[in-house]
Amino acid sequence: MRLRRTRSTAATAPRPAAALGGALVVAAVLGCSAPASEVRDEGGPDEAATSASGGSTPGGEVTTAPSLDPAYAVDPPGRFKSLPRTADIVVQTQETIDEDTLAAIEALDGVAAIERLSLLQVSIENRVLDVAAVDPATYRRYAPRELPQNQAIWDRVAAGELAVGKAVAKRLPLDDDDFVALTSEVPPIHLGVKAPQITNAVDAVVNEKWGEALGATPGNALLISTGLTAPDAVVKPLAKLLPKDTSIERLDAVARFGLDPEAYQQATVVGTFAEAVGSFSYRVLQGGRIDPDPTWISTHISTQDVPILGSVTCNNAIFPQLRAALQDIIDADLADEINPDEYAGCYYPRFIAGSTTLSNHSFGTALDLNVPGNLRGTVGEMDRVVVSIFKKWGFAWGGDWSYTDPMHFEMARIVRPG
């Protein structure tokens, strides 16, 4: 299914017909506070991008792109001629928002502009990143400070490259050529630009072609600008127009006060184990904890017996391959390498410490073993044959990460024992 063009309530410039040549590319956008001057990448200036912007790149530098695959490119956005907009509310639903609902939202008092996009979540090294699939020609209006006018950035997003904030870039497992795999179903994508974006509602931005490849639900999200109207005045009438399970997030409240404990947040995980998680709704509790939707818990989480560890509480989808891995460890006479008394759990619904980022433990698709000898940032003491058996059965190991977590194993793909 192709993503439909983003709906916009402001006029945009005509778009050139020819798409930029591009490789496996994505735009990742972090709500960080890095100054606009830090929009850059490693290497020299990008001649194509500079030319597209008339030699001017307000907000910082961009650099030479690798050879890009045109299959992941959309038309370049042309010059920016619209008014910048504030991003005041972000909405995410489970399904595509229909045209009648969009028209009703546009007509609400206090709604100055809306931008349709797709939101999805991907898991990278136990961090769940919020990815927005957008039309760069219109989404750019909501970028902070000088970034809407930075032609080079949006040309590169259209061509298929990844743009991320500095904080997100530091966490990405990049190869030597700055490519990163968002899921195993699509090729790696290139990090071409580091630039701040809208608050912490979005970690990464991709163009619509990449959203389609990643499996995004087309048009399941909106950015809403309320102009001079306080976002709170729009939330209640907005909620009446949308399904009950819709996530409505006030970006001003997120930035100043943290997540709204009364509102359900929405995460729709894509990738190899999407069927294990599906659509995940939760409320925020104190102390970094979350309260998943009880219906989701009843259909996805259970307590079962497995070899070596005994009774564990995990996602239902993980049990077949977890049992198979642990049985292979027993058959290899390595059961003593896993200490059940040092098992730290599988399902615990909470954010990663000190953040509002979900971990795979929130979904019950990860487990921590032999904790005392395998702390974060260390090589760890985990037996490497045990590690190889877990990998055989579809688990990724935190000991391979740039900032190691050798106690941690997470389901990277679904493997069904024969």
Side-chain angles (χ1 to χ4, degrees), residues 307-309 312 322 326 329 334-346 348 361 366-387 390 397 399 404-409:
I308 303 176
L309 298 175
V312 298
L322 177 59
L326 293 172
I329 289 167
L334 293 172
D336 290 345
E337 295 294 335
I338 296 177
N339 187 341
D341 294 332
E342 296 177 351
Y343 165 68
C346 178
Y348 39 94
H361 287 288
L367 61 158
D368 292 334
L369 303 175
N370 295 8
V371 171
N374 293 280
L375 300 179
R376 294 214 67 181
T378 69
V379 174
E381 301 171 353
M382 196 66 65
D383 184 273
R384 295 316 190 251
V385 177
V386 168
V387 170
F390 270 107
W397 180 48
T404 58
D405 191 5
M407 71 178 74
H408 181 91
F409 294 87

Side-chain angles (χ1 to χ4, degrees), residues 112-380:
I114 67 173
E115 177 78 5
R116 183 161 58 183
L117 58 148
S118 299
L119 279 176
L120 61 146
Q121 284 72 35
V122 299
S123 175
I124 299 178
E125 294 194 350
N126 198 36
R127 290 183 177 272
V128 179
L129 298 184
D130 294 298
V131 179
V134 308
D135 179 349
T138 54
Y139 175 84
R140 67 193 291 182
R141 296 180 301 148
Y142 296 83
R145 298 189 296 273
E146 298 177 353
L147 294 183
Q149 291 82 24
N150 190 318
Q151 188 64 38
I153 287 177
W154 303 106
D155 282 344
R156 294 188 71 161
V157 170
E161 288 195 81
L162 173 66
V164 297
K166 289 180 64 179
V168 168
K170 288 179 180 178
R171 301 200 304 261
L172 292 177
L174 300 169
D175 66 16
D176 292 340
D177 295 318
D178 287 339
F179 281 83
V180 60
L182 293 185
T183 78
S184 61
E185 285 89 355
V186 297
I189 60 182
H190 185 255
L191 169 60
V193 177
K194 297 177 184 176
Q197 292 288 330
I198 55 164
T199 70
N200 56 351
V202 174
D203 295 310
V205 169
V206 299
N207 67 32
E208 293 166 315
K209 288 284 187 70
W210 268 106
E212 180 181 354
L214 290 167
T217 299
N220 71 331
L222 294 175
L223 279 180
I224 299 176
S225 176
T226 61
L228 298 178
T229 302
D232 284 356
V234 176
V235 170
K236 286 187 177 180
L238 178 63
K240 292 179 180 179
L241 298 174
L242 294 162
K244 291 183 178 180
D245 57 1
T246 298
S247 170
I248 301 175
E249 194 171 321
R250 290 162 290 194
L251 299 182
D252 61 332
V254 170
R256 295 176 58 194
F257 306 117
L259 296 172
D260 184 352
E262 299 301 321
Y264 265 97
Q265 311 300 323
Q266 184 75 29
T268 302
V269 177
V270 299
T272 50
F273 63 100
E275 67 182 82
V277 178
S279 185
F280 181 79
S281 299
Y282 63 95
R283 292 188 304 115
V284 179
L285 304 177
Q286 293 182 346
R289 296 173 297 114
I290 65 170
D291 178 24
D293 175 41
T295 301
W296 185 91
I297 296 173
S298 66
T299 55
H300 288 78
I301 301 298
S302 63
T303 301
Q304 301 182 27
D305 288 334
V306 298
I308 303 176
L309 298 175
S311 180
V312 298
T313 301
C314 294
N315 191 298
N316 293 328
I318 203 175
F319 282 110
Q321 62 204 77
L322 177 59
R323 288 194 181 96
L326 293 172
Q327 187 58 54
D328 276 4
I329 289 167
I330 292 172
D331 294 344
D333 200 24
L334 293 172
D336 290 345
E337 295 294 335
I338 296 177
N339 187 341
D341 294 332
E342 296 177 351
Y343 165 68
C346 178
Y347 172 64
Y348 39 94
R350 61 182 302 118
F351 293 123
I352 292 174
S355 76
T356 56
T357 300
L358 295 173
S359 86
N360 283 355
H361 287 288
S362 301
F363 311 133
T365 57
L367 61 158
D368 292 334
L369 303 175
N370 295 8
V371 171
N374 293 280
L375 300 179
R376 294 214 67 181
T378 69
V379 174

